[in-house]
Amino acid sequence: MDKSICPRFEKAMTILSQRWTGLIIYQLLSGPQRFCTIESGIGISGRVLSERLKDLENEGIVNRIVYPETPVRIEYSLSEKGKALEPIMKEIENWSQSWLER
Amino acid sequence: MDKSICPRFEKAMTILSQRWTGLIIYQLLSGPQRFCTIESGIGISGRVLSERLKDLENEGIVNRIVYPETPVRIEYSLSEKGKALEPIMKEIENWSQSWLER
DNA sequence: TTACTTGGTTACTTTATGTAAGTAATTATA
DNA sequence: TATAATTACTTACATAAAGTAACCAAGTAA
Protein backbone atom coordinates (compact mmCIF):
# COMPACT_ATOMS: atom_id res chain seq x y z
CA MET A 1 0.00 0.00 0.00
CA ASP A 2 2.54 2.61 1.08
CA LYS A 3 5.89 2.39 -0.64
CA SER A 4 8.18 1.59 2.23
CA ILE A 5 11.45 3.27 3.00
CA CYS A 6 14.67 1.52 2.01
CA PRO A 7 15.93 -0.33 5.10
CA ARG A 8 19.50 0.78 4.49
CA PHE A 9 18.47 4.41 4.37
CA GLU A 10 16.41 3.87 7.49
CA LYS A 11 19.36 2.33 9.26
CA ALA A 12 21.61 5.23 8.26
CA MET A 13 19.00 7.59 9.66
CA THR A 14 18.78 5.62 12.87
CA ILE A 15 22.52 5.96 13.34
CA LEU A 16 22.76 9.61 12.36
CA SER A 17 19.69 10.78 14.21
CA GLN A 18 20.95 9.60 17.55
CA ARG A 19 21.68 12.56 19.69
CA TRP A 20 25.37 13.62 19.48
CA THR A 21 26.34 11.14 16.78
CA GLY A 22 26.56 13.78 14.06
CA LEU A 23 28.63 16.12 16.17
CA ILE A 24 31.02 13.35 17.18
CA ILE A 25 31.60 12.43 13.54
CA TYR A 26 31.99 16.07 12.57
CA GLN A 27 34.53 16.53 15.35
CA LEU A 28 36.50 13.49 14.22
CA LEU A 29 36.61 14.72 10.63
CA SER A 30 39.33 17.13 11.75
CA GLY A 31 41.51 14.18 12.76
CA PRO A 32 41.97 11.55 15.47
CA GLN A 33 41.09 12.74 18.92
CA ARG A 34 41.02 11.50 22.44
CA PHE A 35 38.07 11.07 24.72
CA CYS A 36 38.44 14.27 26.74
CA THR A 37 38.98 16.38 23.62
CA ILE A 38 35.75 15.22 22.05
CA GLU A 39 33.99 15.60 25.37
CA SER A 40 34.94 19.23 25.86
CA GLY A 41 34.78 19.97 22.14
CA ILE A 42 31.07 19.33 21.77
CA GLY A 43 29.84 19.51 25.36
CA ILE A 44 28.61 15.94 25.63
CA SER A 45 28.56 14.11 28.96
CA GLY A 46 31.16 11.39 29.48
CA ARG A 47 28.48 8.82 30.10
CA VAL A 48 26.84 9.28 26.74
CA LEU A 49 30.10 9.83 24.84
CA SER A 50 31.34 6.49 26.09
CA GLU A 51 28.13 4.85 24.93
CA ARG A 52 28.17 6.54 21.51
CA LEU A 53 31.80 5.71 20.80
CA LYS A 54 31.09 2.06 21.53
CA ASP A 55 28.11 2.11 19.19
CA LEU A 56 30.10 3.82 16.45
CA GLU A 57 32.94 1.36 16.90
CA ASN A 58 30.47 -1.52 16.58
CA GLU A 59 29.14 0.03 13.38
CA GLY A 60 32.66 0.19 12.01
CA ILE A 61 32.53 3.95 11.75
CA VAL A 62 35.06 4.76 14.46
CA ASN A 63 38.42 3.16 15.30
CA ARG A 64 39.83 3.05 18.79
CA ILE A 65 43.55 2.83 19.34
CA VAL A 66 45.20 2.52 22.76
CA TYR A 67 48.65 4.03 23.32
CA PRO A 68 50.00 2.67 26.63
CA GLU A 69 51.71 5.90 27.61
CA THR A 70 51.45 7.64 30.94
CA PRO A 71 48.73 8.50 31.46
CA VAL A 72 47.19 6.20 28.89
CA ARG A 73 46.21 7.81 25.62
CA ILE A 74 43.32 6.48 23.60
CA GLU A 75 42.69 7.86 20.17
CA TYR A 76 39.41 7.76 18.34
CA SER A 77 39.41 8.20 14.60
CA LEU A 78 37.13 7.70 11.63
CA SER A 79 37.40 4.54 9.58
CA GLU A 80 36.93 4.67 5.80
CA LYS A 81 33.26 4.09 6.40
CA GLY A 82 33.28 6.99 8.83
CA LYS A 83 35.21 9.31 6.55
CA ALA A 84 32.70 8.56 3.83
CA LEU A 85 30.18 10.49 5.91
CA GLU A 86 31.99 13.74 5.15
CA PRO A 87 29.78 14.70 2.17
CA ILE A 88 26.75 14.50 4.43
CA MET A 89 28.40 16.81 6.94
CA LYS A 90 29.35 19.21 4.16
CA GLU A 91 25.77 19.35 2.94
CA ILE A 92 24.52 20.03 6.45
CA GLU A 93 27.09 22.80 6.68
CA ASN A 94 25.93 24.26 3.35
CA TRP A 95 22.31 24.17 4.38
CA SER A 96 22.98 25.75 7.73
CA GLN A 97 24.92 28.58 6.09
CA SER A 98 22.16 29.23 3.57
CA TRP A 99 19.10 28.88 5.71
CA LEU A 100 19.88 29.56 9.37
CA GLU A 101 20.42 32.97 10.86
CA ARG A 102 23.49 33.83 12.84
CA MET B 1 41.49 26.89 23.46
CA ASP B 2 39.40 24.44 21.47
CA LYS B 3 38.12 25.78 18.17
CA SER B 4 34.39 25.79 18.72
CA ILE B 5 31.78 24.46 16.34
CA CYS B 6 29.88 26.94 14.17
CA PRO B 7 26.60 27.66 15.97
CA ARG B 8 24.61 27.43 12.75
CA PHE B 9 25.99 23.99 12.01
CA GLU B 10 25.28 23.00 15.58
CA LYS B 11 21.70 24.21 15.27
CA ALA B 12 21.23 22.26 12.03
CA MET B 13 22.54 19.19 13.81
CA THR B 14 20.20 19.76 16.73
CA ILE B 15 17.25 19.85 14.35
CA LEU B 16 18.32 16.91 12.21
CA SER B 17 19.46 14.68 15.02
CA GLN B 18 16.10 14.69 16.71
CA ARG B 19 14.61 11.28 16.43
CA TRP B 20 12.25 10.98 13.42
CA THR B 21 12.99 14.42 11.99
CA GLY B 22 15.09 13.06 9.13
CA LEU B 23 12.54 10.45 8.17
CA ILE B 24 9.70 12.97 8.24
CA ILE B 25 11.59 15.27 5.90
CA TYR B 26 12.55 12.37 3.65
CA GLN B 27 8.93 11.29 3.51
CA LEU B 28 7.78 14.80 2.60
CA LEU B 29 10.34 15.04 -0.21
CA SER B 30 8.00 12.85 -2.26
CA GLY B 31 5.29 15.49 -1.98
CA PRO B 32 2.71 16.95 0.42
CA GLN B 33 1.17 14.42 2.75
CA ARG B 34 -1.38 14.24 5.48
CA PHE B 35 -0.85 13.30 9.09
CA CYS B 36 -1.97 9.69 8.92
CA THR B 37 0.08 9.04 5.79
CA ILE B 38 3.29 10.18 7.42
CA GLU B 39 2.37 8.30 10.56
CA SER B 40 1.94 4.94 8.85
CA GLY B 41 4.68 5.65 6.32
CA ILE B 42 7.50 5.83 8.85
CA GLY B 43 5.96 4.11 11.88
CA ILE B 44 6.14 7.06 14.24
CA SER B 45 3.63 7.45 17.07
CA GLY B 46 0.98 10.13 16.69
CA ARG B 47 2.06 11.82 19.85
CA VAL B 48 5.60 12.42 18.66
CA LEU B 49 4.63 13.17 15.04
CA SER B 50 2.35 15.91 16.26
CA GLU B 51 5.19 17.36 18.31
CA ARG B 52 7.73 17.13 15.47
CA LEU B 53 5.49 18.70 12.88
CA LYS B 54 4.91 21.65 15.21
CA ASP B 55 8.66 22.02 15.71
CA LEU B 56 9.35 21.81 11.99
CA GLU B 57 6.62 24.33 11.27
CA ASN B 58 8.15 26.69 13.81
CA GLU B 59 11.53 26.27 12.13
CA GLY B 60 9.94 27.19 8.80
CA ILE B 61 10.81 23.83 7.32
CA VAL B 62 7.30 22.45 7.01
CA ASN B 63 4.06 24.13 5.88
CA ARG B 64 0.65 23.13 7.17
CA ILE B 65 -2.44 23.70 5.08
CA VAL B 66 -5.97 22.94 6.24
CA TYR B 67 -8.59 21.90 3.69
CA PRO B 68 -12.00 22.11 5.37
CA GLU B 69 -13.39 19.07 3.62
CA THR B 70 -15.15 16.16 5.25
CA PRO B 71 -13.45 14.77 7.09
CA VAL B 72 -10.98 17.60 7.38
CA ARG B 73 -7.80 17.21 5.36
CA ILE B 74 -4.57 18.72 6.55
CA GLU B 75 -1.57 18.65 4.30
CA TYR B 76 2.00 18.93 5.40
CA SER B 77 4.61 19.93 2.87
CA LEU B 78 8.17 21.17 2.72
CA SER B 79 8.87 24.88 2.43
CA GLU B 80 11.79 26.10 0.30
CA LYS B 81 13.93 25.82 3.39
CA GLY B 82 12.72 22.27 3.81
CA LYS B 83 13.26 21.32 0.18
CA ALA B 84 16.79 22.63 0.46
CA LEU B 85 17.50 19.68 2.75
CA GLU B 86 17.22 17.29 -0.18
CA PRO B 87 20.98 17.19 -0.92
CA ILE B 88 21.59 16.06 2.63
CA MET B 89 19.08 13.24 2.23
CA LYS B 90 20.65 12.25 -1.09
CA GLU B 91 24.06 12.02 0.54
CA ILE B 92 22.69 9.88 3.34
CA GLU B 93 21.11 7.67 0.70
CA ASN B 94 24.43 7.40 -1.17
CA TRP B 95 26.33 6.54 1.96
CA SER B 96 23.81 3.93 3.04
CA GLN B 97 23.96 2.27 -0.39
CA SER B 98 27.75 2.19 -0.35
CA TRP B 99 28.45 1.22 3.23
CA LEU B 100 25.51 -0.63 4.74
CA GLU B 101 24.64 -4.24 4.05
CA ARG B 102 21.22 -5.26 2.90
C1' DT C 1 -29.02 7.80 17.41
C1' DT C 2 -24.98 5.44 16.60
C1' DA C 3 -20.97 5.04 14.02
C1' DC C 4 -16.98 6.62 11.18
C1' DT C 5 -13.10 9.50 9.88
C1' DT C 6 -9.20 12.78 10.64
C1' DG C 7 -6.12 15.03 13.40
C1' DG C 8 -5.07 15.45 17.16
C1' DT C 9 -4.51 15.42 22.99
C1' DT C 10 -4.02 13.22 27.62
C1' DA C 11 -2.36 10.11 31.06
C1' DC C 12 0.73 6.80 32.02
C1' DT C 13 4.95 3.68 31.18
C1' DT C 14 9.38 2.88 29.39
C1' DT C 15 13.70 4.42 27.56
C1' DA C 16 17.34 7.84 26.91
C1' DT C 17 20.09 11.37 28.59
C1' DG C 18 22.22 14.46 32.18
C1' DT C 19 24.77 14.91 36.60
C1' DA C 20 27.90 13.92 39.82
C1' DA C 21 30.63 10.88 42.20
C1' DG C 22 33.66 6.87 42.04
C1' DT C 23 37.34 3.64 39.98
C1' DA C 24 41.83 1.64 38.08
C1' DA C 25 46.28 2.40 36.45
C1' DT C 26 50.30 5.00 36.45
C1' DT C 27 53.27 8.64 37.78
C1' DA C 28 54.46 13.10 40.16
C1' DT C 29 54.76 15.84 44.35
C1' DA C 30 55.09 17.03 49.39
C1' DT D 1 55.09 7.28 52.35
C1' DA D 2 50.90 9.49 51.71
C1' DT D 3 48.59 12.58 48.72
C1' DA D 4 47.47 14.26 44.42
C1' DA D 5 46.97 14.31 39.39
C1' DT D 6 45.68 12.49 34.97
C1' DT D 7 42.89 9.76 31.61
C1' DA D 8 39.20 7.01 30.34
C1' DC D 9 35.84 5.26 31.90
C1' DT D 10 31.60 3.24 35.06
C1' DT D 11 27.87 3.57 38.46
C1' DA D 12 23.86 5.37 40.76
C1' DC D 13 20.43 8.39 40.66
C1' DA D 14 17.35 12.31 38.59
C1' DT D 15 15.17 14.33 34.75
C1' DA D 16 13.64 14.55 29.98
C1' DA D 17 12.02 12.36 25.83
C1' DA D 18 9.49 8.85 23.47
C1' DG D 19 6.09 4.86 23.17
C1' DT D 20 1.27 3.18 24.10
C1' DA D 21 -3.35 3.31 24.39
C1' DA D 22 -7.40 5.57 25.35
C1' DC D 23 -10.01 9.61 24.55
C1' DC D 24 -11.95 13.94 22.12
C1' DA D 25 -14.13 17.31 18.69
C1' DA D 26 -15.97 18.28 14.27
C1' DG D 27 -18.45 16.79 10.57
C1' DT D 28 -20.99 13.68 8.13
C1' DA D 29 -23.31 9.11 6.89
C1' DA D 30 -26.22 5.18 7.88
Side-chain angles (χ1 to χ4, degrees):
Chain A
M1 197 100 329
D2 39 23
K3 56 176 170 187
S4 54
I5 291 174
C6 167
R8 284 195 277 183
F9 178 78
E10 207 170 343
K11 164 123 201 228
M13 267 300 182
T14 301
I15 296 170
L16 293 172
S17 74
Q18 287 227 90
R19 201 183 298 195
W20 298 111
T21 300
L23 285 176
I24 292 170
I25 290 163
Y26 181 78
Q27 186 82 3
L28 289 177
L29 278 174
S30 58
Q33 283 168 58
R34 52 205 307 189
F35 193 91
C36 61
T37 310
I38 304 172
E39 195 176 16
S40 62
I42 64 179
I44 188 177
S45 74
R47 201 190 74 57
V48 176
L49 179 55
S50 169
E51 198 174 294
R52 284 294 178 281
L53 287 170
K54 273 181 204 157
D55 293 346
L56 290 170
E57 213 191 331
N58 287 336
E59 293 293 347
I61 291 170
V62 160
N63 294 136
R64 180 180 191 270
I65 303 176
V66 180
Y67 297 93
E69 303 172 353
T70 291
V72 65
R73 182 163 61 95
I74 296 173
E75 264 192 5
Y76 294 93
S77 58
L78 293 177
S79 66
E80 286 309 302
K81 187 176 176 180
K83 284 178 189 157
L85 291 163
E86 183 163 15
I88 299 172
M89 299 297 142
K90 288 290 171 221
E91 288 296 348
I92 295 175
E93 224 164 23
N94 289 345
W95 182 82
S96 73
Q97 294 300 311
S98 304
W99 293 93
L100 297 180
E101 294 167 13
R102 319 184 183 231
Chain B
M1 197 98 322
D2 38 26
K3 56 179 171 187
S4 55
I5 290 174
C6 167
R8 285 194 276 184
F9 178 79
E10 208 171 343
K11 165 122 201 227
M13 268 300 182
T14 302
I15 295 170
L16 293 173
S17 74
Q18 286 229 86
R19 200 183 299 195
W20 298 112
T21 300
L23 285 175
I24 293 169
I25 290 163
Y26 181 77
Q27 185 82 2
L28 289 178
L29 278 173
S30 58
Q33 284 168 58
R34 50 204 309 186
F35 194 92
C36 59
T37 310
I38 304 172
E39 196 176 13
S40 61
I42 63 179
I44 188 178
S45 73
R47 199 189 75 60
V48 176
L49 179 55
S50 169
E51 198 174 293
R52 284 295 177 281
L53 287 171
K54 272 180 206 160
D55 293 347
L56 290 170
E57 214 191 330
N58 287 336
E59 293 291 348
I61 290 170
V62 160
N63 295 134
R64 181 181 190 270
I65 303 177
V66 181
Y67 298 93
E69 303 170 356
T70 290
V72 68
R73 183 163 60 94
I74 295 172
E75 265 193 7
Y76 293 93
S77 58
L78 292 177
S79 64
E80 285 309 301
K81 186 175 175 179
K83 285 178 189 156
L85 291 164
E86 183 163 16
I88 299 171
M89 299 297 142
K90 290 289 170 219
E91 289 296 348
I92 295 175
E93 224 164 23
N94 289 345
W95 182 83
S96 72
Q97 295 299 312
S98 304
W99 295 93
L100 298 181
E101 292 166 16
R102 319 181 183 235

mmCIF file of all heavy atoms in Angstrom, chain B residues 32-49:
data_model
loop_
_atom_site.group_PDB
_atom_site.id
_atom_site.type_symbol
_atom_site.label_atom_id
_atom_site.label_comp_id
_atom_site.label_asym_id
_atom_site.label_seq_id
_atom_site.Cartn_x
_atom_site.Cartn_y
_atom_site.Cartn_z
ATOM 1 N N PRO B 32 3.529 16.637 -0.753
ATOM 2 C CA PRO B 32 2.709 16.951 0.423
ATOM 3 C C PRO B 32 1.967 15.715 0.902
ATOM 4 O O PRO B 32 1.532 14.897 0.090
ATOM 5 C CB PRO B 32 1.720 17.990 -0.106
ATOM 6 C CG PRO B 32 2.347 18.563 -1.326
ATOM 7 C CD PRO B 32 3.153 17.446 -1.922
ATOM 8 N N GLN B 33 1.857 15.579 2.177
ATOM 9 C CA GLN B 33 1.174 14.424 2.748
ATOM 10 C C GLN B 33 0.399 14.797 3.983
ATOM 11 O O GLN B 33 0.711 15.769 4.644
ATOM 12 C CB GLN B 33 2.197 13.347 3.100
ATOM 13 C CG GLN B 33 2.701 12.605 1.875
ATOM 14 C CD GLN B 33 3.899 11.745 2.167
ATOM 15 O OE1 GLN B 33 3.828 10.875 3.008
ATOM 16 N NE2 GLN B 33 4.991 12.003 1.479
ATOM 17 N N ARG B 34 -0.588 13.971 4.291
ATOM 18 C CA ARG B 34 -1.376 14.238 5.477
ATOM 19 C C ARG B 34 -0.835 13.443 6.664
ATOM 20 O O ARG B 34 -0.019 12.530 6.515
ATOM 21 C CB ARG B 34 -2.843 13.937 5.231
ATOM 22 C CG ARG B 34 -3.092 12.599 4.631
ATOM 23 C CD ARG B 34 -4.399 12.562 3.877
ATOM 24 N NE ARG B 34 -5.499 13.073 4.699
ATOM 25 C CZ ARG B 34 -6.763 13.040 4.309
ATOM 26 N NH1 ARG B 34 -7.086 12.532 3.128
ATOM 27 N NH2 ARG B 34 -7.713 13.503 5.067
ATOM 28 N N PHE B 35 -1.321 13.855 7.818
ATOM 29 C CA PHE B 35 -0.846 13.301 9.094
ATOM 30 C C PHE B 35 -0.773 11.775 9.107
ATOM 31 O O PHE B 35 0.286 11.185 9.352
ATOM 32 C CB PHE B 35 -1.763 13.793 10.209
ATOM 33 C CG PHE B 35 -1.236 13.585 11.595
ATOM 34 C CD1 PHE B 35 -0.492 14.556 12.232
ATOM 35 C CD2 PHE B 35 -1.504 12.404 12.275
ATOM 36 C CE1 PHE B 35 -0.014 14.371 13.527
ATOM 37 C CE2 PHE B 35 -1.027 12.194 13.555
ATOM 38 C CZ PHE B 35 -0.277 13.181 14.183
ATOM 39 N N CYS B 36 -1.917 11.150 8.774
ATOM 40 C CA CYS B 36 -1.972 9.691 8.920
ATOM 41 C C CYS B 36 -1.075 8.969 7.909
ATOM 42 O O CYS B 36 -0.604 7.863 8.168
ATOM 43 C CB CYS B 36 -3.404 9.197 8.810
ATOM 44 S SG CYS B 36 -4.191 9.621 7.255
ATOM 45 N N THR B 37 -0.805 9.624 6.784
ATOM 46 C CA THR B 37 0.085 9.036 5.791
ATOM 47 C C THR B 37 1.528 9.017 6.282
ATOM 48 O O THR B 37 2.235 8.011 6.153
ATOM 49 C CB THR B 37 0.018 9.818 4.465
ATOM 50 O OG1 THR B 37 -1.341 9.979 4.096
ATOM 51 C CG2 THR B 37 0.763 9.085 3.372
ATOM 52 N N ILE B 38 1.938 10.115 6.853
ATOM 53 C CA ILE B 38 3.287 10.182 7.416
ATOM 54 C C ILE B 38 3.405 9.171 8.547
ATOM 55 O O ILE B 38 4.362 8.401 8.627
ATOM 56 C CB ILE B 38 3.602 11.599 7.943
ATOM 57 C CG1 ILE B 38 3.404 12.643 6.851
ATOM 58 C CG2 ILE B 38 5.024 11.658 8.499
ATOM 59 C CD1 ILE B 38 3.512 14.070 7.348
ATOM 60 N N GLU B 39 2.396 9.173 9.389
ATOM 61 C CA GLU B 39 2.369 8.296 10.565
ATOM 62 C C GLU B 39 2.602 6.836 10.172
ATOM 63 O O GLU B 39 3.500 6.171 10.688
ATOM 64 C CB GLU B 39 1.019 8.456 11.258
ATOM 65 C CG GLU B 39 0.958 7.917 12.662
ATOM 66 C CD GLU B 39 -0.400 8.205 13.311
ATOM 67 O OE1 GLU B 39 -1.351 8.596 12.592
ATOM 68 O OE2 GLU B 39 -0.502 8.034 14.540
ATOM 69 N N SER B 40 1.796 6.359 9.226
ATOM 70 C CA SER B 40 1.939 4.943 8.853
ATOM 71 C C SER B 40 3.142 4.733 7.940
ATOM 72 O O SER B 40 3.709 3.644 7.902
ATOM 73 C CB SER B 40 0.657 4.442 8.181
ATOM 74 O OG SER B 40 0.397 5.177 7.010
ATOM 75 N N GLY B 41 3.546 5.790 7.237
ATOM 76 C CA GLY B 41 4.684 5.654 6.323
ATOM 77 C C GLY B 41 5.998 5.382 7.019
ATOM 78 O O GLY B 41 6.827 4.615 6.530
ATOM 79 N N ILE B 42 6.210 6.007 8.170
ATOM 80 C CA ILE B 42 7.496 5.825 8.849
ATOM 81 C C ILE B 42 7.372 5.130 10.200
ATOM 82 O O ILE B 42 8.382 4.853 10.836
ATOM 83 C CB ILE B 42 8.253 7.161 9.013
ATOM 84 C CG1 ILE B 42 7.486 8.138 9.903
ATOM 85 C CG2 ILE B 42 8.522 7.794 7.653
ATOM 86 C CD1 ILE B 42 8.221 9.448 10.108
ATOM 87 N N GLY B 43 6.139 4.855 10.641
ATOM 88 C CA GLY B 43 5.960 4.108 11.881
ATOM 89 C C GLY B 43 6.196 4.906 13.153
ATOM 90 O O GLY B 43 6.536 4.359 14.191
ATOM 91 N N ILE B 44 5.995 6.201 13.066
ATOM 92 C CA ILE B 44 6.137 7.065 14.241
ATOM 93 C C ILE B 44 4.813 7.082 14.999
ATOM 94 O O ILE B 44 3.751 6.850 14.423
ATOM 95 C CB ILE B 44 6.523 8.497 13.781
ATOM 96 C CG1 ILE B 44 6.883 9.385 14.955
ATOM 97 C CG2 ILE B 44 5.400 9.100 12.943
ATOM 98 C CD1 ILE B 44 7.323 10.786 14.536
ATOM 99 N N SER B 45 4.870 7.336 16.295
ATOM 100 C CA SER B 45 3.633 7.453 17.068
ATOM 101 C C SER B 45 3.006 8.823 16.829
ATOM 102 O O SER B 45 3.709 9.811 16.572
ATOM 103 C CB SER B 45 3.925 7.283 18.548
ATOM 104 O OG SER B 45 4.582 8.417 19.068
ATOM 105 N N GLY B 46 1.692 8.882 16.913
ATOM 106 C CA GLY B 46 0.977 10.125 16.690
ATOM 107 C C GLY B 46 1.412 11.228 17.635
ATOM 108 O O GLY B 46 1.532 12.388 17.243
ATOM 109 N N ARG B 47 1.667 10.826 18.856
ATOM 110 C CA ARG B 47 2.061 11.822 19.848
ATOM 111 C C ARG B 47 3.312 12.579 19.415
ATOM 112 O O ARG B 47 3.364 13.813 19.442
ATOM 113 C CB ARG B 47 2.301 11.139 21.193
ATOM 114 C CG ARG B 47 2.261 12.076 22.378
ATOM 115 C CD ARG B 47 2.718 11.405 23.663
ATOM 116 N NE ARG B 47 4.143 11.212 23.766
ATOM 117 C CZ ARG B 47 5.040 12.184 23.738
ATOM 118 N NH1 ARG B 47 4.662 13.429 23.574
ATOM 119 N NH2 ARG B 47 6.308 11.910 23.855
ATOM 120 N N VAL B 48 4.333 11.802 19.012
ATOM 121 C CA VAL B 48 5.605 12.423 18.660
ATOM 122 C C VAL B 48 5.519 13.113 17.289
ATOM 123 O O VAL B 48 6.089 14.181 17.099
ATOM 124 C CB VAL B 48 6.745 11.388 18.688
ATOM 125 C CG1 VAL B 48 8.048 11.997 18.219
ATOM 126 C CG2 VAL B 48 6.908 10.840 20.094
ATOM 127 N N LEU B 49 4.765 12.523 16.353
ATOM 128 C CA LEU B 49 4.627 13.165 15.044
ATOM 129 C C LEU B 49 4.024 14.555 15.187
ATOM 130 O O LEU B 49 4.496 15.522 14.592
ATOM 131 C CB LEU B 49 3.769 12.299 14.112
ATOM 132 C CG LEU B 49 3.528 12.886 12.722
ATOM 133 C CD1 LEU B 49 4.823 13.224 12.017
ATOM 134 C CD2 LEU B 49 2.687 11.934 11.870
#
